[in-house]
Amino acid sequence: MGTTFNKGGIHPAENKTAADIEDVELPNEVTLLLSQHIGAPAKAAVSKGDRVRRGDMVATACGVVSACVHTPISGVVTKVDRSLTPYGYMADSITVKADEADHCDDEVRRKNVEPCRSIDELDGLDGERIRAMVADAGIVGLGGAAFPTHVKLAVPKGLKADVLIVNGAECEPYLTADDAIMRLCPDEIMGGIKLLMRAVDVKRAIVGIEENKPDAIVAMKRAAACCGVDVTVVPLKVKYPQGGEKQLIFALTGREVPSGGLPVSVGAVVQNVATARAVYRAALYGEPLMERVVTVAGTARPGNYRVPVGMGINELLKVAGGIPADTGKIVIGGPMMGKAIETIYAPLTKGSSGILVILEREASRQAVMPCIRCGACVEACPMGLEPYLISTLSRFRMFDEAEEQKVTNCIECGSCSYVCPAARPLLDYVRYGKATVAERIRQRKKKCEDK
Amino acid sequence: MQVILITVLVLGAIGVVGAALLYVVAKKFHTHEDPRIGEVESLLPGANCGACGRSGCHDFATACVAADSLESLVCPGAGDAAMKRIAALLGLEASVATPQIAVVKCGGSCEMRPRRVRYDGIRLCSAENAVGAGESMCGYGCLGCGDCVSACRFDAIHIDEATGLPVVDESKCTGCGACADACPRKVIMIRSKGPRGMRVWVACSSRDKGAYTMKVCKAGCIGCRKCAGVCSHDAITVNGNLAVIDPEKCKLCRKCEAVCPTGAIRTSNFPVRKSDCSV
C-alpha cells in the first residue's frame, strides 16, 4: 500500500488510458507568448524581419522571477505584437513563420539531436553552472504551474535543502503525459534528477508515483537502481491531490510545510518528472525548452503528443482528430485544476499539460442548492480548511474573518466543489476571497514599508 | 414572608451598590463631546461611504467641528445645500465643490458586443475577470455582473437588462467613487457632472488595437484620432488606442461625437438641436 498525505483528498474517476508519445509535425507558424510562466513577462530580443533558427532565444528573462523563450521552428519573425491568449486577453507575443526549406531542415534536426557534452562532462558540472544552464534554456515547471525552475533551484540564504522530491504523481484524471515520459524515457529523467540534486546540493532524492502507473514505477525503479546516486522510487496511494507540492512532501517525508512557508523551509525542493527530463536534455543536447508533451483527451484521436510551444491549439486539435460537435468546454490542464479557454485560435504554452475537450452535457454545472452543513467539503480539503465557511465569508465580503480562517492556504485543488452534494460553487468563492485577501496583505505590507 | 424580605433586601442592596458604582465611574471617566458633532452628523447622509476621505460620517463630522475652515472638507453625498447648513451651524465658510458623477466607459451592449463564450461561474465581475476576458472576449469592457451595483450605497447604479451595462441614476449618484473602486476593470470613472449635467465622454476602455476592438465590439473606440483632429480645444488625447476627453478642457461643442465612426463618444443632457427637430 502506497503512502499518502494526511488530510482530506478525493477519488475522482481516473479516466487514464496509457498512450505512447506521438511527435506532432512542426507547424509552419508559431506564436510565442512572452508570458508563459509565473512572474514577469520576457522581453522580446528579436524584431520583425529577423531570421531565427530552431532553438534560438527570441525573448530574454526580465527580472528575477521570469524565464526566456525559444523558438521551436526556424524562419522569419513576422510579428512582434500583441496576440490572443487562450483566455481571450491580448498579450505580447512573437510570431515566427517558416518556409518549406526551414521546415524540412527543422524536422531533420529534431530527429537527429547531437549531444553537445559527453556524459562525463555532465557529471563535472557544478550547481551554479546547472542553474545558469536551466535559466538559459528557459525551463519552467512542466507540471502546469510554469514557475521558472532556476528560481526554485536557488535555495534562499539561511535555508538548506536536504532532499529533492520528484513529482511523478500526476494525480489529475485524464492526464498521462508524465506517465508516458516515465515509461519511455526513465533514464533521461534520472539524468535530470542527478543534475537537479547537484543544483540544490542534496544527497538524496525521492520520486513519488501514484500506484495506477505500475509500468512507470517499474521503469523508474530500474533506472534508479543503476544511476549511482541515492534515488528512491516510492509508490503513492491513488488520491487527488497527491501531486500537490505540500501533499507530496508530506506523503514522502512526513514533513508538513508551515502555513505561508516554502517547501524548502522543511528542507525539500519539488520538481516535476518532465522538468527533470527537460533539464537533462538542456544539459546534454543544449536543447532549450521549446517542446513539451501534452495529453489530448475527448477528441477522435486522444493521446500524448510532443508539441512545439507556440503551436495553435486548433492545429493540435486537428491532429488529434478534431472536436465533437457538442463540445461544451475546452480545458487547458487537468479537469480538476485546469482552466476553461475562450478560444482555440491561440497558442499553447510551456505550462499546457493537457487539452481536454469536454462535452456540453458534462461541462454544465448542476443547479445550486442550499448548504446542508454536511461537512463533506471539510473532510475533502487537503489543507484542513473549512471551505463552506470560507466561501460564505468571501461571499459576504467578510475578508478579515476569511483571513483568520487561512483562506490564503487554499491550493485551489477543487476537492470541495467536487464533493459538495449541493453543487455549491465553493472554490469560486474561496478563490475570490483568496485573491482579495492576498491583495489586502500586499497593500498592508506596502503601507508598512512606506512608513 | 421572611424569604421574600431577605430577597428584596439583598437585591435592593446590590442595586444600590451598582448605582453608586455606575455614578462614580460616570463622573470619573466622563468625556465631553461637542454636541455640534451630533448636529453635523444628522445633516450628513449617514451612508459611511468614505467619499470625503474619512472613515465614516461621524469621523467627518468630528473633523468639521475641529476644523478652522471647511476648505478641504466636502461631503459629496450631502450636496451643497447641506454643506452650507453645516457651515452656518459652525460659523464657517462652506467651500463649493464641483459636483461629481460616475460615468460608465463602456458601450458594449449585448447588441453591439455579442457574447461569444458562456461564463457559468459565480456572478461576480472580479471572479469573471480572473478566469478570462469575459463572455464578449473584450478584455477591457464591462462584465455586467454588477460589482458596482452591490458597492453603491445610494442605490444609484443598476444593470440595464437590455444592454447588460450599468446605468447611473443622476439624481441619486453622489460621485463617491465606491463603484469605480469595486470595478475590477476600472470601467467606471468619476468626473465632474458638467454644467446642467451636460457631459461628453468616451464610452470605451479598450486599449486593444482598433482592428481587434472592431472584431469584438461595434461600439468600441478604435483609436482613429478623428475626434482629436476635430477638437479645437485640445481636450482629446489618444493614448494606447483609446481616446480620452479631458472634462476640464472640453467646451461641449460635440464635434467629436459627430465624427466618431463607431459612436463611442457619448453625450448627456444636451438640449435637442433645432436641426435634429426638423428631420
Side-chain angles (χ1 to χ4, degrees):
Chain A
M1 198 67 202
T3 53
T4 185
F5 55 96
N6 53 344
K7 289 176 211 147
I10 54 168
H11 299 278
E14 290 167 25
N15 286 316
K16 288 182 193 267
T17 26
D20 287 348
I21 301 167
E22 187 180 315
D23 280 3
V24 169
E25 196 189 334
L26 292 173
N28 287 325
E29 192 179 272
V30 291
T31 303
L32 302 157
L33 294 172
L34 298 188
S35 183
Q36 306 197 14
H37 47 263
I38 290 180
K43 219 172 102 218
V46 290
S47 40
K48 194 178 161 178
D50 287 359
R51 269 209 76 84
V52 289
R53 268 172 64 76
R54 175 178 156 87
D56 280 357
M57 189 194 286
V58 289
T60 52
C62 195
V64 183
V65 182
S66 185
C68 41
V69 180
H70 301 76
T71 172
I73 62 169
S74 307
V76 180
V77 176
T78 52
K79 225 168 77 176
V80 180
D81 198 1
R82 294 172 81 75
S83 69
L84 206 55
T85 67
Y87 308 109
Y89 285 112
M90 297 293 270
D92 289 327
S93 69
I94 295 169
T95 306
V96 178
K97 204 168 182 165
D99 60 28
E100 203 54 43
D102 291 328
H103 183 78
C104 297
D105 187 35
D106 284 348
E107 285 290 356
V108 171
R109 281 176 62 204
R110 190 190 194 198
K111 296 225 165 63
N112 315 310
V113 274
E114 295 286 327
C116 67
R117 283 190 186 86
S118 69
I119 303 286
D120 293 340
E121 270 179 308
L122 277 193
D123 289 335
L125 293 171
D126 64 352
E128 191 125 335
R129 275 292 300 282
I130 296 168
R131 282 199 298 275
M133 212 180 53
V134 167
D136 286 341
I139 296 175
V140 301
L142 294 176
F147 190 84
T149 301
H150 64 277
V151 182
K152 228 170 157 183
L153 293 179
V155 177
K157 269 205 183 103
L159 292 172
K160 175 86 182 75
D162 64 358
V163 62
L164 173 76
I165 289 185
V166 184
N167 190 349
E170 201 166 47
C171 57
E172 282 264 14
Y174 292 100
L175 302 190
T176 53
D178 289 351
D179 177 27
I181 294 172
M182 286 188 286
R183 276 188 292 115
L184 301 173
C185 21
D187 297 318
E188 290 192 345
I189 297 174
M190 226 32 91
I193 292 173
K194 271 170 43 187
L195 291 165
L196 289 169
M197 284 168 78
R198 243 174 298 136
V200 287
D201 190 22
V202 296
K203 297 276 167 289
R204 192 159 70 98
I206 312 176
V207 187
I209 306 170
E210 272 193 354
E211 281 169 335
N212 57 1
K213 294 178 263 293
D215 296 347
I217 295 175
V218 170
M220 290 294 286
K221 274 194 170 157
R222 196 175 296 146
C226 52
C227 73
V229 286
D230 181 7
V231 181
T232 338
V233 177
V234 179
L236 299 163
K237 207 173 145 187
V238 180
K239 184 158 84 167
Y240 177 86
Q242 194 68 263
E245 200 165 54
K246 296 180 177 112
Q247 282 66 32
L248 192 65
I249 293 172
F250 185 88
L252 295 175
T253 66
R255 301 175 196 167
E256 197 159 355
V257 180
S259 169
L262 290 169
V264 72
S265 62
V266 293
V269 172
V270 184
Q271 293 291 347
N272 178 273
V273 283
T275 315
R277 178 175 178 238
V279 169
Y280 179 74
R281 291 187 70 88
L284 186 64
Y285 303 112
E287 181 185 274
L289 181 64
M290 51 187 181
E291 292 186 324
R292 68 155 300 147
V293 181
V294 181
T295 303
V296 183
T299 55
R301 285 184 58 233
N304 289 316
Y305 293 91
R306 187 156 78 114
V307 185
V309 165
M311 181 175 173
I313 295 169
N314 57 329
E315 289 173 60
L316 174 60
L317 287 172
K318 211 193 283 166
V319 173
I323 58 174
D326 54 343
T327 297
K329 216 179 235 183
I330 297 178
V331 172
I332 288 191
M336 296 301 296
M337 285 192 73
K339 256 175 104 179
I341 58 172
E342 296 198 2
T343 175
I344 57 168
Y345 300 99
L348 284 157
T349 63
K350 294 175 187 175
S352 318
S353 51
I355 304 282
L356 310 179
V357 179
I358 300 169
L359 299 182
E360 179 71 46
R361 61 168 192 279
E362 289 171 337
S364 53
R365 291 197 184 202
Q366 289 165 17
V368 175
M369 305 289 281
C371 173
I372 55 166
R373 299 292 190 277
C374 65
C377 54
V378 181
E379 267 176 39
C381 180
M383 294 304 290
L385 303 173
E386 294 180 58
Y388 77 95
L389 177 62
I390 296 176
S391 71
T392 310
L393 292 172
S394 305
R395 188 170 156 216
F396 294 111
R397 306 183 59 79
M398 295 163 75
F399 297 118
D400 289 332
E401 289 83 352
E403 191 178 341
E404 272 169 38
Q405 292 294 328
K406 298 282 176 203
V407 63
T408 44
N409 279 7
C410 173
I411 58 167
E412 307 184 19
C413 68
S415 298
C416 50
S417 296
Y418 181 83
V419 295
C420 182
R424 298 193 64 77
L426 294 169
L427 177 59
D428 296 51
Y429 279 114
V430 173
R431 203 186 267 144
Y432 163 61
K434 183 182 165 186
T436 315
V437 167
E439 178 59 33
R440 284 159 67 118
I441 293 172
R442 239 188 328 268
Q443 297 286 342
R444 226 166 32 220
K445 261 195 197 147
K446 211 175 136 212
K447 227 181 221 172
C448 276
E449 274 165 21
D450 288 351
K451 269 177 197 167
Chain B
M1 188 62 201
Q2 212 185 354
V3 175
I4 293 174
L5 203 70
I6 293 170
T7 314
V8 169
L9 282 175
V10 167
L11 283 176
I14 293 173
V16 169
V17 171
L21 240 150
L22 279 175
Y23 179 78
V24 171
V25 170
K27 277 282 165 206
K28 192 161 167 64
F29 296 106
H30 176 75
T31 52
H32 175 76
E33 193 192 67
D34 197 324
R36 291 179 302 168
I37 293 177
E39 287 171 44
V40 171
E41 205 179 335
S42 67
L43 292 169
L44 297 170
N48 296 321
C49 68
C52 54
R54 307 272 160 180
S55 60
C57 293
H58 183 80
D59 198 25
F60 178 74
T62 315
C64 283
V65 172
D68 299 328
S69 111
L70 291 181
E71 210 170 309
S72 57
L73 292 162
V74 175
C75 170
D80 279 350
M83 279 315 294
K84 274 192 187 127
R85 280 171 68 192
I86 291 170
L89 186 81
L90 301 172
L92 299 168
E93 195 78 21
S95 57
V96 184
T98 339
Q100 303 279 306
I101 196 165
V103 167
V104 180
K105 291 194 292 173
C106 178
S109 58
C110 303
E111 188 191 343
M112 292 297 186
R113 189 171 54 140
R115 305 304 190 241
R116 287 153 204 273
V117 291
R118 198 179 68 237
Y119 169 69
D120 64 358
I122 52 172
R123 301 298 295 168
L124 273 174
C125 302
S126 30
E128 187 176 348
N129 188 43
V131 294
E135 298 193 316
S136 69
M137 290 184 64
C138 169
Y140 293 91
C142 174
L143 294 163
C145 290
D147 280 15
C148 50
V149 177
S150 41
C152 183
R153 278 144 175 163
F154 300 95
D155 191 34
I157 190 161
H158 297 280
I159 301 286
D160 182 335
E161 297 225 334
T163 59
L165 294 172
V167 179
V168 179
D169 184 339
E170 280 194 39
S171 61
K172 289 182 183 164
C173 179
T174 62
C176 72
C179 51
D181 288 342
C183 180
R185 293 193 161 174
K186 304 290 161 233
V187 166
I188 299 176
M189 140 180 92
I190 303 297
R191 54 156 287 171
S192 61
K193 212 163 177 174
R196 292 189 299 283
M198 292 188 291
R199 299 182 287 279
V200 183
W201 75 95
V202 181
C204 182
S205 306
S206 173
R207 290 182 182 278
D208 284 331
K209 282 197 168 172
Y212 185 74
T213 305
M214 262 209 275
K215 226 192 219 169
V216 293
C217 179
K218 284 187 219 121
C221 172
I222 53 173
C224 68
R225 295 172 190 271
K226 271 190 182 162
C227 51
V230 81
C231 183
S232 30
H233 310 289
D234 203 20
I236 305 183
T237 44
V238 181
N239 215 331
N241 306 310
L242 180 65
V244 178
I245 300 177
D246 183 349
E248 302 280 307
K249 289 183 183 163
C250 176
K251 297 280 187 282
L252 306 172
C253 70
R254 290 187 284 164
K255 276 189 213 157
C256 52
E257 184 199 8
V259 295
C260 180
T262 59
I265 295 180
R266 305 289 169 92
T267 58
S268 67
N269 300 315
F270 282 91
V272 181
R273 273 180 177 151
K274 274 180 194 154
S275 55
D276 292 346
C277 290
S278 59
V279 174

